[in-house]
C-alpha cells in the first residue's frame, strides 16, 4: 500500500468553516460519520475540495446508470490509471452497493482485455470500419 501523504491530513477539528461545510455535506450525502483521506488532503485548497466534491457528487448521483455500474466504471478507470487509493475506495463503494466477487473479477478481466486490445490497436493503427462510424 502507499506510504505517507505528501501533505498533512486536514482533520475535521483543524478545518476552517468552509472545509467543515464540505466535510458535513460529504458525511450527510454518504450517510457516514467520517471523511476519507482523499478529501482531507484536498482540504488544503478549500476551493479545490469544494469543486471536486460538487463534481463527484453530481457525476455519481443516480442517473441513466445505476450507482453500482458507476462504481464499476470508476474501478475500471482507477485500475487502468494505476490509482491504488481510488481502486481501494471504489471497490469498497461497489461492495457496499452489492458488487459480488464474480462481478469484481469480471470487471477486472474486461479492464485487462480492453487495455491489451487498445494497445494492439494503437500500435497497429487499423482504419476504423465504416460500420462502426456514426451515420446520419
Amino acid at each position: 500500500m502507499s506510504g505517507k501523504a505528501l501533505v498533512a491530513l486536514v482533520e475535521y477539528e483543524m478545518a476552517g468553516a468552509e472545509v467543515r461545510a464540505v466535510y458535513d455535506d460529504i458525511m450527510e450525502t454518504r450517510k457516514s460519520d467520517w471523511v476519507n483521506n482523499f478529501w482531507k488532503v484536498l482540504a488544503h485548497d478549500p476551493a479545490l475540495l469544494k469543486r471536486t466534491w460538487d463534481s463527484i457528487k453530481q457525476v455519481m448521483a443516480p442517473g441513466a446508470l445505476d450507482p453500482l455500474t458507476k462504481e464499476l466504471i470508476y474501478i475500471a478507470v482507477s485500475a487502468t490509471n494505476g490509482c491504488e487509493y481510488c481502486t481501494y475506495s471504489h471497490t469498497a463503494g461497489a461492495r457496499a452497493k452489492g458488487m459480488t466477487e464474480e462481478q469484481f473479477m469480471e470487471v477486472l478481466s474486461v479492464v485487462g482485455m480492453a487495455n491489451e486490445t487498445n494497445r494492439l490497436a494503437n500500435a497497429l493503427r487499423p482504419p476504423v470500419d465504416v460500420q462502426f462510424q456514426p451515420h446520419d
Side-chain angles (χ1 to χ4, degrees), residues 31-52:
K31 297 176 183 18
S32 175
D33 62 353
W34 64 286
V35 174
N36 67 47
N37 291 338
F38 175 73
W39 303 111
K40 292 177 183 177
V41 295
L42 289 187
H44 284 279
D45 183 340
L48 174 63
L49 171 68
K50 181 170 178 20
R51 184 179 75 242
T52 305

Side-chain angles (χ1 to χ4, degrees), residues 119-127:
R119 284 180 172 79
L120 288 168
N122 281 339
L124 297 169
R125 304 281 186 222

